[in-house]
Amino acid sequence: MTDYNPAELTVVIGSRSLQDGQIVFVGAGLPLLAAVHAQHLHAPTLSILFEVGGVAPQVRIGSLPRSTNEARSVRRSVATPATIDMMLFLQRGLVDVGFLGGAQVDKHGNLNSSVIGTLEKPSVRLPGSGGANDIASSANKVFIISYHERRRFVEKVDFLTSPGFLDGGRSRENEGLLGGGVEKVITNLGILEFDKETREMKLVAVHPGVSVKEVQEKTGFELLIADDLQVTTPPSAEELTLLRALDPERRFLKAGEF
Amino acid sequence: MTDYNPAELTVVIGSRSLQDGQIVFVGAGLPLLAAVHAQHLHAPTLSILFEVGGVAPQVRIGSLPRSTNEARSVRRSVATPATIDMMLFLQRGLVDVGFLGGAQVDKHGNLNSSVIGTLEKPSVRLPGSGGANDIASSANKVFIISYHERRRFVEKVDFLTSPGFLDGGRSRENEGLLGGGVEKVITNLGILEFDKETREMKLVAVHPGVSVKEVQEKTGFELLIADDLQVTTPPSAEELTLLRALDPERRFLKAGEF
Amino acid sequence: MNYREARQQVVDKNKGARDKRTTLTEAVAMIRDGDEIAVGGLLYTRTPMGIIWEIIRQRKKDLTFYKTLLSFEGDWLFVSGAMRKAVTSWFSGGVTWGVSKWSLLGLSLRFRAGAMGIPCIPTKSMLGSDLETSAGLKRFQCPYSGEELLLVPAVNPDVAIIHAHAADMYGNAQIFGPPCMDGEIARAANKVILTTEQLVDNEHIRDNPNTTTIPFFCVDAVIELPFGCYPHECYGVYEPAYAHLGDYGEGLLKAEDKTAFVRDYLENYFYKPADFEDYLSLFGVKSLLETTRKGRIWRL
Amino acid sequence: MNYREARQQVVDKNKGARDKRTTLTEAVAMIRDGDEIAVGGLLYTRTPMGIIWEIIRQRKKDLTFYKTLLSFEGDWLFVSGAMRKAVTSWFSGGVTWGVSKWSLLGLSLRFRAGAMGIPCIPTKSMLGSDLETSAGLKRFQCPYSGEELLLVPAVNPDVAIIHAHAADMYGNAQIFGPPCMDGEIARAANKVILTTEQLVDNEHIRDNPNTTTIPFFCVDAVIELPFGCYPHECYGVYEPAYAHLGDYGEGLLKAEDKTAFVRDYLENYFYKPADFEDYLSLFGVKSLLETTRKGRIWRL
């Protein structure tokens, strides 16, 4: 079964990266799909948190929220804390995994969702951090989901909205940040992690049919390549069938760039 | 009608000192009686706060709480915030009046409810601050209710649990405290206020039949005496009748020392 | 707003349990040009849209708005001239604006500090990011643990505007589902204007005190305003008018002159209607019924 | 408990929605001698008495107890040898103890800072008092306002012990009436032991999420324990056994050797009963019924 699109593949890998029992802070779209997919397939007690104030909501299949900040995201939650208390769960260490994306990600896993260009002369103004900085700062670990293209994967983000490993090495720890930082970057081309010492991005797996050369070409900085580079196991029929049932209108699982 | 006891007189004066619409933080016993008395007589929209977490409870006549920290103190509240949020109303300036008492009060209105003697060699260990320090620090103004005797009215408290005007003069403001400090001390002998400059205790009224000499003798420091010293208007029949209905078992309105 | 001045305003005001029912017009007249306004809800949840609508209609000027996440209403406030500055962690309108300088926790903490009556509060968020520098935050070392933290300054807005599910005439307000930051902004602000889906008796509040998010003594004006968040949602009562917002968003995206597009929208939806019921009539009965039917998410 | 270590313990533990039902005996076995314990409720409201009872029976040693206001249970913990130190703002037992070093807000803020995951928090309380010096507090100047404040250090206890009105098997806990500091201590602590008047289905929790004070991922053990605060009160369910507490208080007051008096009480009420139901039987059916009848304060 090979008729899956990049968004579907990415979500399936996101789902596989989650474990039963984890507390996961997600945004709308692909991360939410990955979390709900994991719940239904292999992680029944995985619990979702949304910044609007829902703890472990039961998101309704076929009626996924468009944003994490609306009633549908809170459906049948076990608790509805104030926004600040949702975000403070992160600061206290209670959130196992946070999912993030961004307009730019750099070689140390820093994210930009604020502005392309400079603050003084912006070429594109983006919405801003929302809870992204807080997740990046304090979630126990972070998964980034991103479409892989050269203008997104940059040497250095124009504006550092959400910290990855900052300037690499021990700089994240030296700033006093609490969370473990980015563990994994999942894209439509492969999976990337970070070198333990330099905290530079390293390609650890390519998806079926994707070459290292292609990944490097679509990356705006020099990638490290893992010695034991893997090839991703493609989505199974079971994984795909479930996934498509979750988003029957293909609102999020579009064929092109996501 | 002169058959009232010192506790009754004190509560009636406490009641008269309150105004309609005020938000009042009270403890159990005489302050609570004063507040409920005022609500029934002349201040129908006066609202009571208790530290356990009750906003504007409807305390049941004849079933007064023994402590402010129990279910009876929360009866039919409009809100039941966490303890910290009750105390933070003070810090934000939302509490018009706080009522306090203590084992010792000194000439600058500082209170001790922690220890008689020294921390190292205590002769009597007292319960401690509870919310008293917070009320003294941050209520917009404070009324002290106290039985008047030489061992209570001291030059300087053994342990400063709750700030009045500290060392007098501008010392309270200089420490950065927010609330206005003690406006009035109501005792079984009279009413005392504080000199605007030196912040020393000043007798402004004596109760009927009480001499200045008696008040001074029962005070462990030199009292200032107001030029226009008043004599308190004794409790009216209406005031007394209501008061006695509030505490039919005379649990708080005992004849002797209170 | 200076810390001491913010406290003094609260100290001085009549906080008693008075009848605070009034009209949208009278309540919004309390807002002065140049005021700082904190907005309840989050993104398009429980936005106090009726109050925003009236602010725009009254041609208020130079206001600063604080909201955790801003939606289309940001555009409306900007283009109408009511908003000089938005302080937010997220803003995805269509018209030109500044850059969001806060993280969601960072801004939420500013409200909480304001509510707590302290001038600043420490956090481990935003450290080492460009938010730290662009917001001009100060660092601080905890004297007990040696930890490095950021301090965020409190906000004490002049006015908080909030929409609650139920409130009594004194201003005791109850919220169903996520309270967002409404409890905090109500205590942080010096005045509170409250709209509510339904006015209820004080005895109803006393029957269910656990869900009272805002006590009466914070509140200065209460207006019963059904569908007061429209076209945004009120949790458990009606969902957003997705169709309307979708059309609006698409139109905005396509418009060459986005400001003109928003001006046009303001003209039709804000300035022309005679009153709020007239405004709701533009959406129509079918929209109100459909969003209400789908809004009962709790049981669906 | 070191700030980073407290965080790491929470990071490392399994926070999943497992079935956490267990016995009082097994749950209290999680507590190690020397641990720091935060106690829910306040004075004699919602004291987790069943857990305290079991702690004493298991002859735990050298524990530090944090509670906003301590009642008689302080004597019981001291005399039994379980408590080495009490951290409180108020303690009115009958036996020798130290001096309460905190104000109620001060100690509450320590819990809140712990819950927020920050090592300290500023306040305007305790300034200039002898509490400031006896608690060894540090001052700090707000860099934004210039205000002088005190900093109180966070507490992250090893274990929080809490009694809730209702909880499901995952540990989602609902409290009726004042939550006291229970929401904060649950998040501040590294582990939580929870007793509840009644276990309820998870669907019941999801029907009423607004009253969930403690989410499951903070909780490690859940025990259904009706009358679990006895002889203290559980808001709206039963009032304190005033007659029993009155007799006890009078006896203590009269006793020449107060420690012996408390030992005697412990022998009869704590060590002798075979289990918690046996303990409740000492109070008797009439006491349980009377306190329950009077405890429905909400409607009385």
Side-chain angles (χ1 to χ4, degrees), chain A residues 51-53 60 66-67 69-72 74-77 80-85 87-88 91 114 119 125 127-131 133-134 137 159-161 166 175-178, chain C residues 42-45 69 89-91 97-100 103-105 108-109 112 123-131 134 139 177-181 184 233 235 239 242 297-298 300:
Chain A
E51 58 196 23
V52 69
R60 195 173 160 80
R66 299 189 196 197
S67 138
N69 300 309
E70 57 170 84
R72 291 182 183 180
V74 188
R75 181 178 178 275
R76 296 198 68 71
S77 295
T80 52
T83 307
I84 190 168
D85 292 317
M87 304 315 292
L88 288 171
Q91 199 166 262
S114 299
L119 261 187
R125 295 168 199 263
S129 161
N133 174 283
D134 311 310
S137 295
F159 185 97
L160 199 162
T161 312
L166 300 176
E175 289 292 317
L177 285 162
L178 295 173
Chain C
L42 183 142
L43 199 64
Y44 47 81
T45 283
L69 307 179
S89 78
W90 203 87
F91 183 8
W97 66 89
V99 172
S100 306
S103 77
L104 180 55
L105 178 57
S108 300
L109 283 165
R112 176 165 281 182
T123 182
K124 280 286 195 179
S125 262
M126 298 182 289
L127 275 166
S129 73
D130 285 341
L131 298 176
S134 70
R139 290 206 178 196
C180 302
M181 292 304 294
E184 274 84 359
E233 73 178 19
Y235 187 81
E239 74 165 24
Y242 283 119
I297 187 75
W298 208 250
L300 285 178

Side-chain angles (χ1 to χ4, degrees), chain B residues 102-106 146-154 157 218 257-258:
Chain B
Q104 293 182 326
V105 54
D106 71 19
S146 179
Y147 194 75
H148 209 134
E149 52 187 345
R150 209 172 169 84
R151 65 185 180 110
R152 276 182 193 264
F153 281 71
V154 298
V157 286
K218 291 186 174 161
E257 189 177 327
F258 51 83

